[in-house]
Amino acid sequence: MTKQREYYDVAIIGGGAAGLTAAIYCGRARLKTILFEKALPGGLATYTSEIENYPGFPEPIAGTELMKRFEKQAKRFGVDIKLTAIKAVKLDDAEKVVSTFRTDYAAKAVIVAAGGKPRLTGATGEAAFLYDKGISFCATCDAAFYTDKTVLVIGSGDAAIEEAMFLTKFAKRVKVSVIHDEGILDANEVAKEHAFANDRLEFIWNTMVHEFKGEERLTQVVLKNIKTNELIPVDVDGCFLFIGYLPDTDLYQGQLNMNSRGYLPTNEHMETNIPGVFAAGDVRDKVLRQVATAVGDGAIAGVTAERYLAETAYFEQQIMGDNKLTLVYCWNPVDPLCRTLMGDVERLKDKYHEKLKVVVVDMYKSTKIAERLGITQAPAVALINNRQVCYRSGAPAVDIGGVETEIAATCSE
């Protein structure tokens, strides 16, 4: 089967807070943008029943509602949203390719905002009951199914405790397996206070999952006391895992640099090791993973992608795209030496105007174009002939005489 091929300026992988924010910025910049999300737009934020720390919302807001607003805003700026899984990516060429089952999407820039995937316990029997067979990762999504039933929550962090309290609005009984000693939770102080005051929560201290049991669906979770090794069978109608997340970066192995835990290192511009590929949100190697920080990442990635495309177009059209011999002068207008050398550059431009094109690059605003020419410091010059750098001169001083000799020799050929 021959695959279809579609073309975009920017492809964004992941429709959580980071991906949707990047999409808003790219769409608003009039870039042809496509966003891929394998589930529903909103990502992990939709798993949260109440978000209380996102600026601008003095009252708690459901994660699903907040993300619907993000999605609506992205669509208003013309972003195409495809609810489909990515099968493969090829990122190391100038034209990047994001492949689904039926279609290859070519893009000039890619933003990886794939988020995280729930961490599993690794206990016996777990795989048989994932998702719709008794083990869940989203209280907001599945709480209603467990109305008047008994559920077990695994974990003691913010997500675990907050979602356990949300489940008490539906379930008859909510039990919480905590690996720590009695009274110790990893959640914030407000969540702890509310949890200990909720008489529908029952804590099982010093425990971790030993085995999941059942026939068609999960019916029992066997916990193990980590101090006494006692096995504690807990009859349940369902189990919710909130023990953290892993970055969803398997697809990028061998292409993007990642740390030992699978997170993608970036600089402050969200740039990865591949030009034109950016990372934002929970896939990044960073300190804090919240909706607010994902939004910041997405905004930076969107703006940086826009600048990358503009600089690429300028580089190809103005520097590499002319048949004329091209002199590129990289300068910093606040530097006295750079201003002095500008007079020499203007003289060369006037003298060889019929055969020489002069392009001035302001490194005070951005160093990216200069870096494509192998220049990292102003002042510097590069001579381009047939899309190749045939001469370069720079720090500590530009050899104007050498530049003119090279120009004269090339023009006389």
Side-chain angles (χ1 to χ4, degrees), residues 13 89 91 112 114 248-256 258 264:
I13 302 174
V89 294
L91 303 175
V112 179
D248 194 2
T249 54
D250 294 346
L251 198 62
Y252 315 100
Q253 290 280 355
Q255 297 188 68
L256 294 179
M258 54 186 70
L264 305 178

Side-chain angles (χ1 to χ4, degrees), residues 227-299:
K227 290 190 173 181
T228 65
N229 290 326
E230 175 191 3
L231 296 181
I232 307 169
V234 181
D235 293 332
V236 299
D237 297 293
C239 180
F240 289 80
L241 302 186
F242 297 108
I243 54 175
Y245 295 90
L246 299 172
D248 194 2
T249 54
D250 294 346
L251 198 62
Y252 315 100
Q253 290 280 355
Q255 297 188 68
L256 294 179
N257 290 344
M258 54 186 70
N259 67 15
S260 59
R261 296 182 297 159
Y263 290 101
L264 305 178
T266 71
N267 59 16
E268 62 182 2
H269 304 290
M270 306 298 137
E271 295 170 320
T272 67
N273 58 296
I274 297 179
V277 180
F278 311 89
D282 287 0
V283 295
R284 283 188 63 227
D285 181 17
K286 60 179 186 177
V287 174
L288 183 62
R289 294 180 175 86
Q290 297 277 294
V291 174
T293 59
V295 167
D297 287 358

Side-chain angles (χ1 to χ4, degrees), residues 120-137 211-220 239 241:
L120 302 178
T121 67
T124 302
E126 184 172 48
F129 302 107
L130 292 177
Y131 302 104
D132 60 348
K133 293 185 179 181
I135 297 178
S136 178
F137 307 93
E211 185 177 3
F212 293 95
K213 290 184 174 183
E215 297 293 335
E216 293 297 318
R217 286 187 57 84
L218 178 71
T219 58
Q220 187 180 85
C239 180
L241 302 186

Side-chain angles (χ1 to χ4, degrees), residues 217-409:
R217 286 187 57 84
L218 178 71
T219 58
Q220 187 180 85
V221 180
V222 180
L223 300 178
K224 182 177 182 178
N225 187 296
I226 61 173
K227 290 190 173 181
T228 65
N229 290 326
E230 175 191 3
L231 296 181
I232 307 169
V234 181
D235 293 332
V236 299
D237 297 293
C239 180
F240 289 80
L241 302 186
F242 297 108
I243 54 175
Y245 295 90
L246 299 172
D248 194 2
T249 54
D250 294 346
L251 198 62
Y252 315 100
Q253 290 280 355
Q255 297 188 68
L256 294 179
N257 290 344
M258 54 186 70
N259 67 15
S260 59
R261 296 182 297 159
Y263 290 101
L264 305 178
T266 71
N267 59 16
E268 62 182 2
H269 304 290
M270 306 298 137
E271 295 170 320
T272 67
N273 58 296
I274 297 179
V277 180
F278 311 89
D282 287 0
V283 295
R284 283 188 63 227
D285 181 17
K286 60 179 186 177
V287 174
L288 183 62
R289 294 180 175 86
Q290 297 277 294
V291 174
T293 59
V295 167
D297 287 358
I300 294 171
V303 170
T304 307
E306 177 194 357
R307 290 176 179 171
Y308 168 81
L309 294 180
E311 289 169 349
T312 298
Y314 183 86
F315 184 80
E316 289 298 322
Q317 296 167 13
Q318 299 299 319
I319 295 178
M320 293 296 186
D322 201 298
N323 291 328
K324 275 190 173 183
L325 180 67
T326 301
L327 174 66
V328 182
Y329 178 48
C330 299
W331 78 318
N332 182 340
V334 303
D335 180 73
L337 177 58
C338 288
R339 294 198 298 270
T340 299
L341 286 172
M342 179 62 82
D344 293 319
V345 172
E346 290 293 338
R347 178 180 61 79
L348 293 176
K349 180 181 177 180
D350 293 339
K351 183 175 181 180
Y352 297 96
H353 67 278
E354 293 184 354
K355 295 185 176 182
L356 181 69
K357 175 182 177 180
V358 175
V359 176
V360 177
V361 173
D362 186 345
M363 291 185 68
Y364 181 80
K365 293 181 178 179
S366 175
T367 62
K368 299 297 184 182
I369 290 177
E371 288 169 0
R372 295 186 187 209
L373 298 170
I375 294 171
T376 59
Q377 185 177 340
V381 295
L383 203 58
I384 313 297
N385 190 21
N386 294 323
R387 298 183 61 85
Q388 299 291 326
V389 177
C390 61
Y391 182 85
R392 187 187 294 110
S393 178
V398 174
D399 181 5
I400 290 296
V403 175
E404 184 165 7
T405 299
E406 187 68 26
I407 292 172

Side-chain angles (χ1 to χ4, degrees), residues 22-241:
I24 289 167
Y25 274 76
C26 291
R28 190 169 180 269
R30 305 287 179 91
L31 299 175
K32 188 179 180 183
T33 304
I34 186 168
L35 179 146
F36 300 94
E37 171 54 50
K38 60 186 176 184
L40 294 175
L44 295 178
T46 62
Y47 289 18
T48 304
S49 57
E50 291 185 345
I51 294 177
E52 296 186 298
N53 58 356
Y54 189 70
F57 292 85
E59 300 299 325
I61 183 171
T64 50
E65 175 59 28
L66 182 60
M67 292 301 102
K68 282 179 182 177
R69 298 187 186 194
F70 280 41
E71 179 188 4
K72 183 177 180 180
Q73 192 171 1
K75 287 181 175 178
R76 184 165 73 85
F77 289 119
V79 175
D80 290 339
I81 297 180
K82 298 289 184 183
L83 300 181
T84 185
I86 302 301
K87 299 299 182 183
V89 294
K90 183 170 176 48
L91 303 175
D92 52 1
D93 293 334
E95 182 179 83
K96 290 78 171 71
V97 179
V98 178
S99 299
T100 63
F101 180 73
R102 297 182 182 277
T103 308
D104 287 338
Y105 297 87
K108 300 171 186 175
V110 169
I111 299 174
V112 179
K117 53 188 177 183
R119 185 189 298 275
L120 302 178
T121 67
T124 302
E126 184 172 48
F129 302 107
L130 292 177
Y131 302 104
D132 60 348
K133 293 185 179 181
I135 297 178
S136 178
F137 307 93
C138 177
T140 306
C141 312
D142 301 329
F145 179 81
Y146 294 101
T147 299
D148 296 327
K149 298 181 180 181
T150 298
V151 297
L152 176 68
V153 171
I154 310 297
S156 66
D158 286 342
I161 300 308
E162 289 169 4
E163 298 307 286
M165 288 190 291
F166 178 74
L167 284 165
T168 63
K169 299 177 182 179
F170 299 85
K172 175 178 62 179
R173 194 68 184 165
V174 178
K175 302 182 179 184
V176 184
S177 170
V178 181
I179 198 170
H180 305 303
D181 289 335
E182 183 173 349
I184 299 177
L185 299 176
D186 296 315
N188 64 77
E189 292 302 320
V190 173
K192 283 194 280 188
E193 181 181 332
H194 289 169
F196 291 144
N198 192 324
D199 60 7
R200 299 182 71 182
L201 285 182
E202 175 186 334
F203 295 93
I204 309 174
W205 304 101
N206 294 315
T207 57
M208 60 187 299
V209 178
H210 177 74
E211 185 177 3
F212 293 95
K213 290 184 174 183
E215 297 293 335
E216 293 297 318
R217 286 187 57 84
L218 178 71
T219 58
Q220 187 180 85
V221 180
V222 180
L223 300 178
K224 182 177 182 178
N225 187 296
I226 61 173
K227 290 190 173 181
T228 65
N229 290 326
E230 175 191 3
L231 296 181
I232 307 169
V234 181
D235 293 332
V236 299
D237 297 293
C239 180
F240 289 80
L241 302 186

